[in-house]
Amino acid sequence: MAWGARLGALLQPGDLVCLYGEIGSGKTTLTKGIVQGVGGIAKEAVTSPTFTLLHIYQGRFPVYHFDLFRIGSLEELEEIGYREYFQGDGICIVEWTEKGEEILPLERLDIFLSFGEREEERKIILKPQGERFRHLCRQLGGKG
Ligand SMILES: Nc1ncnc2c1ncn2[C@@H]1O[C@H](COP(=O)(O)OP(=O)(O)OP(=O)(O)O)[C@@H](O)[C@H]1O
Ligand SMILES: [Mg+2]
């Protein structure tokens, strides 16, 4: 949560963060931290027939949190007009990136989450794609 909040404070509208990691590795928890860092307040949900595909947090600017875990086909994303969300006024965070790989923009911050040795421990690996996100990682204190 704390590290996510640090990242969230550095994000700007137009940024895309793509999360990878198995079930329970902490993708949703990290997203909540990021939302806190952006300064998100209210929340609404955009649902697909069987699950909540998109949570929208309206804060300093909008945060669009896509969870592709139960997506049946990429048409579900077309139906909600996903392109608009990626071109714009807010930041996008994607959970279960694997399921949307074909249509997601390539310039983004990839984050790989995995379990550590202890139950309460997680590992975070950052893979910036493009200059904007390399810059962001340097701001976070990485070596680039
Ligand atoms: N960095 C962390 N350190 C310790 N525990 C964590 C961390 N991140 C998440 N957890 C705990 O792990 C559990 C699963 O977290 P979370 O729901 O965020 O995972 P997820 O990757 O979104 O899972 P899913 O793939 O099911 O959506 C929760 O109980 C959460 O409190
Ligand atoms: Mg989750």
Side-chain angles (χ1 to χ4, degrees):
M1 289 290 295
W3 187 84
R6 262 185 70 207
L7 172 59
L10 295 170
L11 291 173
Q12 295 168 3
D15 284 346
L16 169 61
V17 177
C18 289
L19 305 179
Y20 293 86
E22 60 187 282
I23 290 176
S25 57
K27 301 177 295 298
T28 300
T29 305
L30 179 60
T31 301
K32 286 180 185 162
I34 294 173
V35 168
Q36 220 172 63
V38 166
I41 31 166
K43 177 183 165 180
E44 56 185 282
V46 178
T47 58
S48 80
T50 47
F51 75 111
T52 305
L53 180 56
L54 172 61
H55 295 270
I56 302 177
Y57 299 86
Q58 189 58 59
R60 196 154 55 83
F61 44 76
V63 178
Y64 304 112
H65 171 206
F66 293 84
D67 187 344
L68 306 185
F69 184 60
R70 290 178 196 284
I71 200 164
S73 86
L74 294 174
E75 272 165 41
E76 287 175 48
L77 279 171
E78 298 285 356
E79 278 160 23
I80 64 164
Y82 79 96
R83 279 170 224 274
E84 258 179 60
Y85 298 109
F86 286 91
Q87 284 163 3
D89 61 338
I91 67 168
C92 289
I93 304 173
V94 180
E95 217 174 306
W96 289 102
T97 305
E98 294 92 329
K99 308 208 175 203
E101 207 74 84
E102 296 160 47
I103 58 166
L104 293 170
L106 297 175
E107 283 233 351
R108 64 205 201 196
L109 178 59
D110 283 332
I111 301 183
F112 296 83
L113 293 169
S114 58
F115 292 91
E117 274 154 37
R118 288 170 294 130
E119 200 195 323
E120 70 277 16
E121 198 176 276
R122 296 293 186 281
K123 290 180 187 166
I124 303 173
I125 294 175
L126 304 178
K127 200 172 165 198
Q129 313 276 8
E131 188 45 47
R132 156 71 189 140
F133 297 102
R134 282 193 287 275
H135 173 71
L136 187 67
C137 286
R138 285 193 293 271
Q139 283 181 302
L140 276 164
K143 293 190 183 103

